[in-house]
Amino acid sequence: MKKIINKPEDVVKECLMGLQMANTDTLEYIPEKEVIYRKNMDKKVAVISGGGAGHEPLHAGFVGKGMLDAAVSGNVFSSPSPDRIEAAIEKVEKGQGVLFVIKNYSGDIMNFGMAQDMAEMEGIQVESVVVKDDVAVPDSTYSTGRRGIAGTMFVHKIAGAMAETGAPLSEVAGVAREVVENLRSMGMAMSPCILPAVGRPGFTLGENEIEIGMGIHGEPGVEKTTMKTAKEIAAILLQKILDDYDYAGSEVAVLVNGLGGTPLMELYILNYEVQNLLKEKNITAYKTFVGNYTTSLEMTGCSLSLLKLNDKMKTLLDASCDTPALKVD
């Protein structure tokens, strides 16, 4: 194992401290709780998300004006505990309520649910939205129903923008659920990743083998096959999405996401093929994002996400934000 780390047990806290030190004007870190939260937050609905570490920049990289107000990290690929989520609420809840954005994994659902129960016992209003954008498999090892993957970034962006307007909790939660309903993603992997505490790959793929639909923790996909061209991969991922949801005639936000080890050159080539296919299918790309937004340590591979947009979502997607991983003027 070759990684730029100190002790495996310290990777999460040292990662978050390094993130905060690079953004001292806008972010704070809570030691031992592994929470990154906004400085100088206005009185508004607080938007909180989180999950296991190892998917950077998700979630802490999206903390800032116009997106998340706090992100709570568990250990690598492990859910954060309820006490960590409580610590985040204490820092950013301003009397307007809290929205939890939760990816659909059993540990996240359970621990954020416990934190919600405890907050409501203290008189804090909390709404939860569960992201389940992965069309690869209906059920998986880690989740009940579809997994939450890279499309989560769109929920953070649009819900965060709505909260920034001063809208009440019901409206912020409502637009977040609208995003989830119109969002689909599909991914593939070309190589495994190595967890720092384990020191070896979590699974194996042959030299010319890829897995279609593999999850961001190495969960099984829909099939193993031989390596394909960018054009073939784009067609496979897009068709799986279109088989699940009708985007014909729609304006969409597109996310071509890298899993951590794929060069940007290859992601842009994939985007070129995706955009050509969208035109053929009468789908208009309103805004496109290409890069590493939800990674899996150093796994090579990618995912494709489509979000069907209406005028409200377009306005919120275009709204300004200032976070370490996404800035919109």
Side-chain angles (χ1 to χ4, degrees), residues 264-275:
L264 274 171
M265 172 187 281
E266 297 173 27
L267 297 179
Y268 282 122
I269 293 169
L270 181 65
N271 182 55
Y272 165 75
E273 297 295 351
V274 167
Q275 299 291 332

Side-chain angles (χ1 to χ4, degrees), residues 43-56:
K43 186 176 181 180
K44 67 175 194 67
V45 170
V47 183
I48 299 175
S49 190
H55 303 304
E56 290 72 26

Side-chain angles (χ1 to χ4, degrees), residues 113-292:
M114 291 173 63
Q116 179 170 347
D117 290 343
M118 289 185 284
E120 289 175 343
M121 288 174 62
E122 297 176 5
I124 298 171
Q125 188 179 6
V126 180
E127 294 259 12
S128 292
V129 174
V130 178
V131 185
K132 41 188 177 181
D133 54 318
D134 188 359
V135 302
V137 285
D139 293 290
S140 78
T141 309
Y142 286 68
S143 66
T144 303
R146 291 180 170 171
R147 306 175 293 223
I149 55 173
T152 305
M153 184 274 285
F154 287 135
V155 186
H156 291 166
K157 176 65 184 74
I158 290 174
M162 178 62 88
E164 210 69 48
T165 69
L169 178 58
S170 60
E171 291 184 19
V172 178
V175 76
R177 293 189 179 104
E178 193 174 359
V179 174
V180 171
E181 290 168 4
N182 291 279
L183 175 65
R184 300 292 187 274
S185 300
M186 180 70 179
M188 56 81 69
M190 298 184 290
S191 72
C193 61
I194 299 173
L195 274 66
V198 177
R200 61 180 183 275
F203 59 91
T204 58
L205 286 171
E207 188 170 333
N208 194 41
E209 189 176 45
I210 62 175
E211 184 149 1
I212 305 297
M214 177 169 282
I216 56 176
H217 309 99
E219 305 98 322
V222 295
E223 68 167 324
K224 290 184 179 180
T225 185
T226 55
M227 187 62 204
K228 309 293 185 186
T229 66
K231 186 172 186 176
E232 291 170 326
I233 290 169
I236 290 168
L237 299 183
L238 182 59
Q239 192 57 54
K240 185 71 175 178
I241 289 171
L242 298 182
D243 287 344
D244 191 83
Y245 188 95
D246 183 9
Y247 287 94
S250 301
E251 286 187 288
V252 298
V254 180
L255 171 59
V256 176
N257 174 68
L259 295 179
T262 304
L264 274 171
M265 172 187 281
E266 297 173 27
L267 297 179
Y268 282 122
I269 293 169
L270 181 65
N271 182 55
Y272 165 75
E273 297 295 351
V274 167
Q275 299 291 332
N276 289 337
L277 286 170
L278 290 174
K279 289 176 185 176
E280 289 177 13
K281 296 177 183 297
N282 192 31
I283 300 169
T284 302
Y286 175 78
K287 189 179 285 281
T288 300
F289 302 81
V290 179
N292 292 314

Side-chain angles (χ1 to χ4, degrees), residues 56 257-263 267 292 294-302:
E56 290 72 26
N257 174 68
L259 295 179
T262 304
L267 297 179
N292 292 314
T294 300
T295 64
S296 186
L297 297 171
E298 77 275 34
M299 187 185 291
T300 56
C302 62

